[in-house]
Amino acid sequence: MTETITLPGLVDVHTHLRVPGGEHKEDFRTGTAAALAGGITTILGMPNTSPPLSTPEVLAAAREQAAQDILCDVGLFAGASPEEINRLVECAPRAAALKIYLNDTFGPLRVEDVPTLMACFATWPRDKMIAMHAEKQSVAVGIGLAATYNRPVHFCHISRRHEIELIAQAKAKGLPVTCEVTPHHLFLTEADATRLGPLGDMRPLLGTPSDVAALWEHLPETVDCIATDHAPHTLAEKQSATPPPGVIGLETSLPLMLTAVQQNRLTLERLIELMHTNPRRIFNLPQQPDTAVTVQLTADTITNEMVQSKCGWTPFHGTEVAAKVQKVVLRGEVVFEDGRVLAQPGSGKLLS
Ligand code: NCD
Ligand code: ZN
Protein backbone atom coordinates (compact mmCIF):
# COMPACT_ATOMS: atom_id res chain seq x y z
CA MET A 1 0.00 0.00 0.00
CA THR A 2 1.21 3.52 -0.80
CA GLU A 3 2.24 5.52 2.24
CA THR A 4 0.35 8.77 2.75
CA ILE A 5 1.18 11.76 4.94
CA THR A 6 -0.95 14.69 6.09
CA LEU A 7 0.30 18.26 6.07
CA PRO A 8 -1.29 21.57 7.08
CA GLY A 9 -2.57 23.84 4.29
CA LEU A 10 0.54 25.36 2.70
CA VAL A 11 1.18 29.06 2.07
CA ASP A 12 2.76 30.69 -0.99
CA VAL A 13 3.70 34.32 -0.42
CA HIS A 14 4.79 34.91 -4.05
CA THR A 15 2.23 34.18 -6.79
CA HIS A 16 1.45 36.13 -9.98
CA LEU A 17 -2.29 35.96 -10.67
CA ARG A 18 -2.29 38.37 -13.67
CA VAL A 19 -5.53 40.25 -12.86
CA PRO A 20 -5.98 42.86 -14.24
CA GLY A 21 -4.54 42.86 -17.74
CA GLY A 22 -2.97 39.42 -18.06
CA GLU A 23 -6.04 37.18 -17.82
CA HIS A 24 -4.96 35.22 -20.91
CA LYS A 25 -1.98 33.96 -18.84
CA GLU A 26 -3.85 33.30 -15.55
CA ASP A 27 -6.91 34.49 -13.67
CA PHE A 28 -8.03 34.24 -10.07
CA ARG A 29 -9.86 30.95 -10.68
CA THR A 30 -7.10 29.15 -12.62
CA GLY A 31 -4.33 30.46 -10.36
CA THR A 32 -6.10 29.33 -7.20
CA ALA A 33 -6.94 25.97 -8.86
CA ALA A 34 -3.21 25.50 -9.44
CA ALA A 35 -2.56 26.38 -5.79
CA LEU A 36 -5.01 23.74 -4.52
CA ALA A 37 -3.53 21.13 -6.87
CA GLY A 38 -0.19 21.87 -5.21
CA GLY A 39 -1.50 21.59 -1.63
CA ILE A 40 -1.41 25.37 -1.17
CA THR A 41 -4.45 26.94 0.52
CA THR A 42 -3.26 30.55 1.05
CA ILE A 43 -1.49 32.68 -1.55
CA LEU A 44 -0.32 36.27 -1.79
CA GLY A 45 -0.75 37.77 -5.28
CA MET A 46 1.92 40.06 -6.72
CA PRO A 47 1.14 43.63 -7.90
CA ASN A 48 2.94 43.75 -11.30
CA THR A 49 -0.34 43.57 -13.19
CA SER A 50 -1.48 45.90 -15.97
CA PRO A 51 -2.27 48.43 -14.61
CA PRO A 52 -0.30 47.56 -11.45
CA LEU A 53 -1.86 47.28 -7.98
CA SER A 54 -0.52 50.71 -7.00
CA THR A 55 -3.71 52.71 -6.43
CA PRO A 56 -6.68 51.99 -4.16
CA GLU A 57 -8.96 51.97 -7.23
CA VAL A 58 -7.05 49.23 -9.07
CA LEU A 59 -6.68 47.22 -5.85
CA ALA A 60 -10.41 47.53 -5.10
CA ALA A 61 -11.37 46.36 -8.61
CA ALA A 62 -8.97 43.40 -8.41
CA ARG A 63 -10.42 42.46 -5.01
CA GLU A 64 -13.96 42.60 -6.39
CA GLN A 65 -12.99 40.20 -9.18
CA ALA A 66 -11.11 37.97 -6.76
CA ALA A 67 -14.10 37.74 -4.40
CA GLN A 68 -16.09 36.14 -7.23
CA ASP A 69 -13.41 33.78 -8.51
CA ILE A 70 -11.01 32.53 -5.85
CA LEU A 71 -10.94 28.86 -4.78
CA CYS A 72 -8.46 29.30 -1.90
CA ASP A 73 -7.54 32.19 0.41
CA VAL A 74 -5.87 35.13 -1.31
CA GLY A 75 -4.22 38.36 -0.20
CA LEU A 76 -2.84 40.94 -2.61
CA PHE A 77 0.37 42.97 -2.51
CA ALA A 78 0.29 46.69 -3.19
CA GLY A 79 3.10 47.71 -5.54
CA ALA A 80 5.34 50.71 -4.86
CA SER A 81 5.37 53.05 -7.84
CA PRO A 82 7.20 56.44 -7.89
CA GLU A 83 4.35 57.96 -9.94
CA GLU A 84 1.66 56.88 -7.44
CA ILE A 85 3.63 57.07 -4.22
CA ASN A 86 1.23 59.63 -2.70
CA ARG A 87 -1.55 57.00 -2.96
CA LEU A 88 0.41 54.29 -1.14
CA VAL A 89 -1.10 54.73 2.32
CA GLU A 90 -4.63 54.54 0.87
CA CYS A 91 -3.69 51.14 -0.63
CA ALA A 92 -2.78 49.64 2.75
CA PRO A 93 -6.29 48.65 3.97
CA ARG A 94 -6.79 46.61 0.78
CA ALA A 95 -3.35 44.99 0.72
CA ALA A 96 -1.72 42.19 2.69
CA ALA A 97 1.78 43.66 2.24
CA LEU A 98 3.88 46.02 0.10
CA LYS A 99 6.17 44.93 -2.75
CA ILE A 100 9.09 47.04 -3.92
CA TYR A 101 10.92 46.09 -7.13
CA LEU A 102 14.54 47.27 -7.04
CA ASN A 103 15.70 45.26 -10.08
CA ASP A 104 14.48 44.72 -13.65
CA THR A 105 11.81 42.12 -14.31
CA PHE A 106 8.43 41.64 -16.02
CA GLY A 107 6.02 44.58 -15.68
CA PRO A 108 6.32 48.34 -15.20
CA LEU A 109 6.96 48.52 -11.43
CA ARG A 110 10.45 49.72 -10.51
CA VAL A 111 11.82 51.90 -7.73
CA GLU A 112 15.24 53.37 -8.43
CA ASP A 113 15.15 56.59 -6.41
CA VAL A 114 15.84 57.14 -2.73
CA PRO A 115 12.88 59.51 -2.07
CA THR A 116 10.41 56.81 -3.11
CA LEU A 117 12.16 54.24 -0.90
CA MET A 118 12.09 56.67 2.03
CA ALA A 119 8.39 57.36 1.47
CA CYS A 120 7.65 53.60 1.47
CA PHE A 121 9.49 52.99 4.73
CA ALA A 122 8.16 56.13 6.43
CA THR A 123 4.49 55.69 5.50
CA TRP A 124 3.64 52.00 4.98
CA PRO A 125 1.88 50.72 8.16
CA ARG A 126 4.33 49.03 10.52
CA ASP A 127 2.10 46.01 11.06
CA LYS A 128 2.31 45.06 7.35
CA MET A 129 5.37 43.55 5.70
CA ILE A 130 7.57 45.18 3.08
CA ALA A 131 8.83 42.61 0.56
CA MET A 132 11.56 43.37 -1.95
CA HIS A 133 12.71 42.08 -5.30
CA ALA A 134 16.39 42.76 -4.62
CA GLU A 135 19.28 41.15 -6.49
CA LYS A 136 23.03 41.52 -6.12
CA GLN A 137 23.93 44.83 -4.39
CA SER A 138 20.23 45.71 -4.00
CA VAL A 139 20.13 43.15 -1.15
CA ALA A 140 22.49 45.47 0.73
CA VAL A 141 20.11 48.38 0.05
CA GLY A 142 17.24 46.42 1.58
CA ILE A 143 19.30 45.43 4.64
CA GLY A 144 20.31 49.07 5.08
CA LEU A 145 16.67 50.20 4.99
CA ALA A 146 15.62 47.51 7.49
CA ALA A 147 18.36 48.72 9.85
CA THR A 148 17.73 52.44 9.30
CA TYR A 149 13.97 52.26 9.82
CA ASN A 150 14.18 49.39 12.32
CA ARG A 151 11.41 47.47 10.59
CA PRO A 152 11.13 44.03 8.95
CA VAL A 153 12.05 43.48 5.30
CA HIS A 154 11.35 40.23 3.44
CA PHE A 155 13.60 39.38 0.49
CA CYS A 156 11.92 37.60 -2.43
CA HIS A 157 13.47 34.71 -4.41
CA ILE A 158 17.07 34.92 -3.14
CA SER A 159 19.14 32.98 -5.67
CA ARG A 160 22.88 33.69 -5.40
CA ARG A 161 25.55 32.57 -2.94
CA HIS A 162 26.69 36.07 -1.97
CA GLU A 163 23.08 37.21 -1.45
CA ILE A 164 22.14 34.41 0.96
CA GLU A 165 25.48 34.86 2.76
CA LEU A 166 24.82 38.59 3.20
CA ILE A 167 21.36 37.85 4.60
CA ALA A 168 22.86 35.27 6.99
CA GLN A 169 25.26 37.94 8.27
CA ALA A 170 22.48 40.53 8.64
CA LYS A 171 20.46 37.99 10.65
CA ALA A 172 23.50 37.23 12.83
CA LYS A 173 23.62 40.97 13.68
CA GLY A 174 20.00 40.75 14.76
CA LEU A 175 18.55 42.75 11.87
CA PRO A 176 14.86 42.09 11.14
CA VAL A 177 15.24 40.46 7.71
CA THR A 178 13.66 37.30 6.28
CA CYS A 179 13.93 35.62 2.89
CA GLU A 180 12.37 33.10 0.56
CA VAL A 181 13.88 30.81 -2.09
CA THR A 182 12.05 29.18 -4.99
CA PRO A 183 12.06 25.50 -5.95
CA HIS A 184 13.34 26.40 -9.43
CA HIS A 185 16.44 28.02 -7.91
CA LEU A 186 16.94 24.90 -5.74
CA PHE A 187 16.38 22.26 -8.44
CA LEU A 188 17.64 23.92 -11.66
CA THR A 189 20.94 25.57 -12.67
CA GLU A 190 22.20 27.72 -15.51
CA ALA A 191 22.77 24.48 -17.45
CA ASP A 192 19.00 23.94 -17.37
CA ALA A 193 18.53 27.52 -18.59
CA THR A 194 20.60 26.60 -21.65
CA ARG A 195 18.63 23.37 -22.17
CA LEU A 196 15.23 25.04 -21.71
CA GLY A 197 15.89 28.27 -23.64
CA PRO A 198 13.11 30.83 -23.00
CA LEU A 199 11.23 28.24 -20.90
CA GLY A 200 14.11 28.42 -18.42
CA ASP A 201 14.29 32.22 -18.35
CA MET A 202 13.11 33.99 -15.23
CA ARG A 203 14.22 36.74 -12.81
CA PRO A 204 16.40 36.14 -10.94
CA LEU A 205 18.18 33.97 -13.52
CA LEU A 206 19.01 30.35 -12.66
CA GLY A 207 22.28 30.16 -10.75
CA THR A 208 25.62 28.40 -10.97
CA PRO A 209 26.13 25.06 -9.18
CA SER A 210 27.83 27.05 -6.39
CA ASP A 211 24.79 29.34 -6.02
CA VAL A 212 22.46 26.33 -5.83
CA ALA A 213 24.72 24.61 -3.28
CA ALA A 214 24.68 27.77 -1.13
CA LEU A 215 20.87 27.83 -1.08
CA TRP A 216 20.80 24.19 0.09
CA GLU A 217 23.51 24.90 2.70
CA HIS A 218 21.41 27.74 4.11
CA LEU A 219 18.06 25.89 3.96
CA PRO A 220 18.27 24.59 7.57
CA GLU A 221 18.88 28.08 9.08
CA THR A 222 18.93 31.26 6.98
CA VAL A 223 16.08 30.57 4.57
CA ASP A 224 12.67 31.37 6.07
CA CYS A 225 10.24 30.30 3.32
CA ILE A 226 9.89 28.34 0.14
CA ALA A 227 7.90 30.54 -2.29
CA THR A 228 6.99 29.62 -5.84
CA ASP A 229 7.25 32.91 -7.80
CA HIS A 230 4.51 31.29 -9.91
CA ALA A 231 4.79 33.55 -13.00
CA PRO A 232 2.68 32.20 -15.89
CA HIS A 233 3.26 33.25 -19.49
CA THR A 234 1.77 31.45 -22.51
CA LEU A 235 3.92 29.18 -24.68
CA ALA A 236 3.30 31.55 -27.63
CA GLU A 237 4.70 34.45 -25.58
CA LYS A 238 7.68 32.37 -24.46
CA GLN A 239 8.39 31.34 -28.06
CA SER A 240 8.05 34.89 -29.42
CA ALA A 241 10.91 37.20 -30.39
CA THR A 242 10.68 38.96 -26.99
CA PRO A 243 9.95 36.21 -24.45
CA PRO A 244 8.93 37.53 -21.01
CA PRO A 245 10.76 36.08 -17.97
CA GLY A 246 8.93 33.77 -15.56
CA VAL A 247 7.88 30.16 -14.94
CA ILE A 248 5.04 28.61 -12.94
CA GLY A 249 5.52 26.72 -9.68
CA LEU A 250 2.38 26.30 -7.55
CA GLU A 251 1.74 22.70 -8.59
CA THR A 252 5.31 21.43 -8.48
CA SER A 253 6.66 23.06 -5.31
CA LEU A 254 5.45 20.48 -2.77
CA PRO A 255 6.22 17.35 -4.86
CA LEU A 256 9.75 18.65 -5.49
CA MET A 257 10.37 19.60 -1.85
CA LEU A 258 9.00 16.26 -0.59
CA THR A 259 11.33 14.50 -3.02
CA ALA A 260 14.17 16.34 -1.30
CA VAL A 261 12.82 15.11 2.06
CA GLN A 262 12.89 11.53 0.75
CA GLN A 263 16.51 12.10 -0.31
CA ASN A 264 17.35 13.38 3.22
CA ARG A 265 18.19 16.87 1.93
CA LEU A 266 15.83 18.39 4.55
CA THR A 267 13.46 17.09 7.20
CA LEU A 268 9.68 16.99 6.96
CA GLU A 269 9.52 19.24 10.04
CA ARG A 270 11.68 21.82 8.28
CA LEU A 271 9.52 21.59 5.13
CA ILE A 272 6.44 22.44 7.22
CA GLU A 273 8.25 25.43 8.75
CA LEU A 274 9.33 26.68 5.30
CA MET A 275 5.98 26.16 3.56
CA HIS A 276 3.44 26.77 6.34
CA THR A 277 4.58 28.07 9.73
CA ASN A 278 7.11 30.73 8.72
CA PRO A 279 5.25 32.35 5.79
CA ARG A 280 2.10 32.52 7.93
CA ARG A 281 4.00 34.16 10.80
CA ILE A 282 6.09 36.56 8.69
CA PHE A 283 3.07 37.91 6.78
CA ASN A 284 0.69 37.63 9.75
CA LEU A 285 -1.80 35.47 7.84
CA PRO A 286 -4.83 33.90 9.55
CA GLN A 287 -5.04 30.22 10.51
CA GLN A 288 -7.37 27.99 8.49
CA PRO A 289 -9.33 25.62 10.74
CA ASP A 290 -10.15 22.06 9.55
CA THR A 291 -7.64 22.35 6.71
CA ALA A 292 -5.27 19.57 5.61
CA VAL A 293 -3.36 18.24 2.63
CA THR A 294 -3.03 14.49 2.02
CA VAL A 295 0.00 13.45 0.00
CA GLN A 296 0.84 10.04 -1.43
CA LEU A 297 4.52 9.15 -1.21
CA THR A 298 4.68 7.49 -4.59
CA ALA A 299 6.71 7.83 -7.79
CA ASP A 300 5.18 10.36 -10.18
CA THR A 301 6.26 12.26 -13.28
CA ILE A 302 5.49 15.96 -13.65
CA THR A 303 3.96 16.68 -17.07
CA ASN A 304 2.52 19.68 -18.92
CA GLU A 305 -0.75 17.74 -19.23
CA MET A 306 -1.44 17.79 -15.48
CA VAL A 307 -1.04 21.58 -15.21
CA GLN A 308 -4.10 23.48 -13.89
CA SER A 309 -2.50 26.88 -14.53
CA LYS A 310 -3.88 28.56 -17.66
CA CYS A 311 -0.45 28.71 -19.31
CA GLY A 312 -0.42 24.90 -19.62
CA TRP A 313 3.31 24.16 -19.31
CA THR A 314 5.96 23.74 -16.63
CA PRO A 315 9.77 23.86 -16.79
CA PHE A 316 9.69 20.58 -14.80
CA HIS A 317 7.91 18.60 -17.57
CA GLY A 318 9.36 15.09 -17.45
CA THR A 319 10.83 15.43 -13.94
CA GLU A 320 10.48 12.41 -11.65
CA VAL A 321 9.23 13.17 -8.14
CA ALA A 322 8.44 11.03 -5.09
CA ALA A 323 5.13 12.57 -4.01
CA LYS A 324 1.69 13.42 -5.36
CA VAL A 325 -0.99 15.61 -3.78
CA GLN A 326 -4.05 13.38 -3.36
CA LYS A 327 -6.55 15.47 -1.46
CA VAL A 328 -6.96 18.98 -0.02
CA VAL A 329 -9.55 19.89 2.61
CA LEU A 330 -10.14 23.62 3.26
CA ARG A 331 -12.31 24.59 6.24
CA GLY A 332 -13.89 21.15 6.23
CA GLU A 333 -14.69 21.07 2.47
CA VAL A 334 -12.91 18.71 0.04
CA VAL A 335 -11.57 21.23 -2.51
CA PHE A 336 -9.20 18.96 -4.48
CA GLU A 337 -9.14 15.18 -4.89
CA ASP A 338 -7.46 12.78 -7.33
CA GLY A 339 -6.52 15.45 -9.84
CA ARG A 340 -9.86 17.25 -9.78
CA VAL A 341 -10.49 20.73 -8.39
CA LEU A 342 -13.82 20.66 -6.52
CA ALA A 343 -13.96 24.12 -4.88
CA GLN A 344 -16.62 26.60 -6.02
CA PRO A 345 -15.49 30.01 -7.40
CA GLY A 346 -15.75 32.59 -4.63
CA SER A 347 -15.38 30.02 -1.83
CA GLY A 348 -11.88 31.26 -0.94
CA LYS A 349 -11.46 34.06 1.59
CA LEU A 350 -10.08 37.42 0.58
CA LEU A 351 -7.47 38.65 3.08
CA SER A 352 -6.82 42.29 3.87
C1 NCD B 1 7.76 37.61 -12.86
C2 NCD B 1 6.52 37.83 -13.72
O1 NCD B 1 6.44 37.27 -14.82
O2 NCD B 1 5.61 38.53 -13.28
N1 NCD B 1 8.79 37.04 -13.67
C3 NCD B 1 9.86 36.37 -13.21
O3 NCD B 1 10.73 36.06 -14.02
N2 NCD B 1 9.98 36.03 -11.95
C4 NCD B 1 8.19 38.91 -12.23
C5 NCD B 1 9.04 38.73 -11.01
O4 NCD B 1 8.63 38.13 -10.02
O5 NCD B 1 10.18 39.22 -11.00
ZN1 ZN C 1 7.60 37.21 -8.87
Side-chain angles (χ1 to χ4, degrees):
M1 222 186 85
T2 312
E3 192 189 341
T4 64
I5 56 169
T6 303
L7 301 171
L10 303 180
V11 181
D12 183 34
V13 297
H14 194 142
T15 302
H16 296 269
L17 291 167
R18 305 305 192 200
V19 181
E23 291 88 348
H24 64 289
K25 303 173 194 275
E26 198 77 286
D27 58 39
F28 284 122
R29 189 186 59 76
T30 57
T32 52
L36 291 178
I40 294 165
T41 52
T42 304
I43 59 182
L44 294 185
M46 282 291 161
N48 62 334
T49 50
S50 183
L53 306 183
S54 298
T55 65
E57 293 78 18
V58 179
L59 261 166
R63 284 175 64 85
E64 226 168 88
Q65 188 65 52
Q68 294 174 38
D69 293 347
I70 54 178
L71 309 176
C72 72
D73 295 0
V74 173
L76 298 175
F77 277 91
S81 162
E83 295 77 31
E84 308 284 3
I85 197 66
N86 58 337
R87 312 292 315 279
L88 187 65
V89 173
E90 289 173 76
C91 291
R94 297 174 179 84
L98 173 65
K99 175 77 179 279
I100 306 177
Y101 289 87
L102 297 182
N103 297 89
D104 270 351
T105 188
F106 179 72
L109 290 175
R110 205 81 69 247
V111 177
E112 289 171 327
D113 64 291
V114 177
T116 302
L117 288 173
M118 290 172 76
C120 289
F121 276 77
T123 65
W124 186 251
R126 281 200 163 253
D127 60 343
K128 294 197 178 187
M129 182 54 80
I130 297 179
M132 284 191 176
H133 179 140
E135 298 186 41
K136 300 182 178 174
Q137 66 267 39
S138 298
V139 175
V141 172
I143 292 170
L145 288 163
T148 304
Y149 288 87
N150 188 29
R151 60 178 298 170
V153 169
H154 177 78
F155 290 96
C156 300
H157 44 48
I158 288 299
S159 66
R160 295 181 181 87
R161 175 175 285 279
H162 58 254
E163 295 166 355
I164 194 73
E165 288 178 354
L166 194 56
I167 288 171
Q169 292 188 30
K171 285 185 165 201
K173 292 259 185 233
L175 293 174
V177 295
T178 54
C179 70
E180 68 193 33
V181 301
T182 73
H184 51 263
H185 290 114
L186 287 169
F187 288 89
L188 302 174
T189 68
E190 56 189 10
D192 295 294
T194 306
R195 171 178 63 85
L196 290 161
L199 301 189
D201 180 32
M202 74 291 286
R203 299 295 173 275
L205 295 170
L206 294 174
T208 64
S210 168
D211 291 326
V212 175
L215 298 183
W216 283 103
E217 282 159 29
H218 283 272
L219 209 58
E221 282 265 353
T222 315
V223 177
D224 295 282
C225 314
I226 299 295
T228 68
D229 194 7
H230 178 91
H233 297 288
T234 66
L235 265 183
E237 289 166 335
K238 280 296 213 180
Q239 288 161 352
S240 73
T242 52
V247 298
I248 63 168
L250 286 167
E251 297 164 72
T252 49
S253 182
L254 179 59
L256 287 165
M257 294 310 296
L258 279 172
T259 304
V261 171
Q262 289 249 302
Q263 295 165 346
N264 293 317
R265 303 181 82 184
L266 81 159
T267 65
L268 187 60
E269 291 67 36
R270 184 65 181 146
L271 179 147
I272 293 169
E273 283 173 11
L274 292 166
M275 301 183 77
H276 169 79
T277 320
N278 292 350
R280 197 169 288 283
R281 187 194 67 243
I282 290 165
F283 285 87
N284 194 21
L285 303 172
Q287 296 285 347
Q288 297 168 312
D290 301 321
T291 297
V293 178
T294 308
V295 182
Q296 294 175 318
L297 298 181
T298 180
D300 194 25
T301 307
I302 295 170
T303 65
N304 292 337
E305 289 67 42
M306 63 173 62
V307 167
Q308 302 275 349
S309 169
K310 201 182 272 190
C311 73
W313 65 275
T314 159
F316 291 103
H317 175 76
T319 302
E320 309 282 335
V321 287
K324 187 182 171 76
V325 176
Q326 196 252 318
K327 181 174 166 179
V328 180
V329 175
L330 174 57
R331 284 184 284 274
E333 299 288 326
V334 179
V335 287
F336 176 85
E337 192 166 25
D338 297 329
R340 291 197 306 138
V341 177
L342 303 171
Q344 292 304 311
S347 60
K349 267 193 187 166
L350 199 50
L351 311 175
S352 64

